[in-house]
Amino acid sequence: MNVAKSGYRVFSANSSAACTELAKKITERLGVELGKSVVFQESNRETRVDVKESVRGQTIFIIQTIPRDVNTAIMELLIMAYALKTSCAKNIIGVIPYFPYSKQCKMRKRGSIVCKLLASMLAKAGLTHIITMDLHQKEIQGFFSFPVDNLRASPFLIQYIQEEIPDYRNAIIVAKSPAAAKRAQSYAERLRLGLAVIHGEAQCAESDMADGRHSPPCVRNTTGHTGLELPSGKQQAPFPGIELPIMMAKEKPPITVVGDVGGRIAIIVDDIIDDVGDFVAAAEILKERGAYKIYIMATHGLLSADAPRLIEESAIDVVVVTNTVPHEVQKLQCPKIKTVDVSMILAEAIRRIHNGESMAYLFRNITVDD
């Protein structure tokens, strides 16, 4: 396809060469060239973006993969979007396979909902649409003032299970916590496999954390208080003291595996694998219960800190993730990590959005809980 006649441009907002691999694969599938731009860091660590071609009146797609330096990647995306906006681009669509700060989408204690802040920043910078994949919580789409297409990686991961796992019919889908049970059930139903759930004190689900609205009420000492004096001179009855029932501390039961994994291949599914401690603990429990091989399937392989070493030393046999996040270094450190390419669905989403076609085909056979 001739770039000049396509009616749209595809840019990469990454300054790191390792992060542009996904953008190159997408443009190859689309038959277009990657837009000419320069993204780099100044000596004082400020981000600079120079667009090297005219984008006036064009629909622009910015592909931004998120490396370990999350905040730099966000600034690169914001600055490029604003640069394209001021260059009179018609529409600016962000292709962000892994949406950063998606775990900070709930109020916790006296923190903030950072995901909502990021959504507002992207809108202010000039983005008019976002294509992403497997948001940590689907409700995040409500933070945006423009359309969000939340694609799914499950068809690619299910295909990997069917084609690359010998005797997958003897497998069982495992949720490492009750919170992940719906996702696991979706996989189990489509693969016609059984379902197991790990539950107990070894797990630390997000729902157990304070949501920021449990501060104790102010204690008012009403001793000797005769009431409030109103401007009219009348007295108002004193505010009654609040007596709340005693809040019993939540106590989790001993670790339990609900479902028979003995003599089976255990496949743990989740959306993000970052701190692998929970996965390693789950693998050890499944081994104790008789599972003879353990796979981890996740969309976003962040694999931070010592994750490759911990995986290599654990009972986990294979970790399968997509290429929404660059992880070539981690693969060199741990041969157990395998990659599934999802550039096909991202390229098709770009083509359909540009041509004004329905996106329903990309969500066929996808359940609400997936």
Side-chain angles (χ1 to χ4, degrees):
M1 182 187 297
N2 189 303
V3 178
K5 296 180 180 180
S6 65
Y8 68 94
R9 297 284 194 279
V10 180
F11 286 86
S12 174
N14 287 111
S15 58
S16 170
C19 296
T20 60
E21 290 302 317
L22 181 60
K24 291 177 181 177
K25 289 182 178 181
I26 292 173
T27 52
E28 286 175 3
R29 291 184 179 276
L30 289 169
V32 301
E33 297 177 3
L34 203 57
K36 298 176 182 178
S37 64
V38 178
V39 182
F40 62 96
Q41 309 298 318
E42 299 275 14
S43 57
N44 62 356
R45 302 300 298 166
E46 289 185 358
T47 299
R48 182 177 292 274
V49 174
D50 290 328
V51 180
K52 298 295 186 180
E53 58 184 293
S54 174
V55 296
R56 183 178 295 273
Q58 296 281 324
T59 295
I60 306 297
F61 294 87
I62 307 175
I63 301 173
Q64 181 70 327
T65 53
I66 306 298
R68 289 190 178 186
D69 191 354
V70 177
N71 296 326
T72 297
I74 291 172
M75 286 306 301
E76 290 170 349
L77 176 60
L78 292 171
I79 294 172
M80 174 162 277
Y82 191 68
L84 293 167
K85 177 183 177 182
T86 54
S87 297
C88 300
K90 182 180 179 181
N91 294 306
I92 305 171
I93 302 170
V95 183
I96 314 170
Y98 167 64
F99 194 80
Y101 287 98
S102 58
K103 284 191 174 182
Q104 298 189 46
C105 60
K106 296 179 182 179
M107 180 67 77
R108 305 200 188 287
K109 296 184 179 180
R110 292 174 181 83
S112 61
I113 306 175
V114 184
C115 196
K116 167 63 176 174
L117 171 63
L118 182 54
S120 300
M121 292 167 64
L122 292 172
K124 191 68 175 178
L127 288 182
T128 58
H129 194 147
I130 276 183
I131 303 170
T132 187
M133 182 168 283
D134 281 336
L135 287 170
H136 187 58
Q137 298 288 342
K138 297 176 183 63
E139 292 78 9
I140 290 174
Q141 296 174 80
F143 292 161
F144 294 87
S145 57
F146 48 77
V148 176
D149 284 308
N150 183 27
L151 304 177
R152 306 293 197 276
S154 58
F156 296 91
L157 297 175
I158 288 174
Q159 183 180 16
Y160 182 95
I161 292 172
Q162 294 173 328
E163 296 179 357
E164 302 295 333
I165 299 180
D167 194 22
Y168 83 91
R169 290 294 182 187
N170 189 38
I172 186 168
I173 305 298
V174 180
K176 69 179 179 67
S177 68
K182 287 186 177 181
R183 181 184 299 272
Q185 181 181 359
S186 173
Y187 276 71
E189 289 175 349
R190 281 182 284 173
L191 287 165
R192 311 297 194 271
L193 298 177
L195 176 66
V197 179
I198 299 175
H199 176 57
E201 60 185 8
Q203 303 303 315
C204 182
E206 289 186 15
S207 58
D208 296 334
M209 302 180 186
D211 68 354
R213 287 165 285 188
H214 297 298
S215 299
C218 297
V219 178
R220 290 181 172 85
N221 185 4
T222 58
T223 304
H225 183 71
T226 58
L228 299 176
E229 186 172 341
L230 301 177
S232 61
K234 297 181 179 179
Q235 292 283 328
Q236 183 180 7
F239 188 82
I242 299 177
E243 293 185 7
L244 298 176
I246 298 174
M247 302 295 288
M248 299 298 294
K250 183 189 291 186
E251 186 174 335
K252 288 190 175 181
I255 195 71
T256 306
V257 178
V258 182
D260 182 16
V261 298
R264 313 285 286 277
I265 300 171
I267 304 175
I268 304 175
V269 298
D270 212 337
D271 61 329
I272 299 173
I273 176 169
D274 187 5
D275 180 7
V276 299
D278 288 347
F279 291 94
V280 170
E284 292 176 355
I285 294 164
L286 293 171
K287 279 288 186 181
E288 292 174 1
R289 298 297 193 278
Y292 71 90
K293 202 163 188 180
I294 297 170
Y295 286 79
I296 307 292
M297 314 290 293
T299 303
H300 310 296
L302 305 186
L303 303 168
S304 303
D306 293 332
R309 179 182 61 82
L310 294 173
I311 292 171
E312 186 66 25
E313 297 173 356
S314 72
I316 299 170
D317 293 287
V318 180
V319 174
V320 183
V321 293
T322 71
N323 57 344
T324 56
V325 177
H327 51 264
E328 294 303 318
V329 174
Q330 290 90 328
K331 287 179 69 176
L332 294 175
Q333 297 172 346
C334 178
K336 292 182 179 181
I337 301 172
K338 309 297 180 183
T339 306
V340 174
D341 182 23
V342 293
S343 61
M344 179 190 301
I345 192 171
L346 294 170
E348 181 63 14
I350 290 174
R351 189 192 68 79
R352 286 176 174 270
I353 288 173
H354 173 66
N355 293 334
E357 299 177 18
S358 171
M359 298 285 283
Y361 178 77
L362 303 182
F363 295 93
R364 68 192 188 286
N365 300 325
I366 300 295
T367 62
V368 175
D369 297 324
D370 190 2

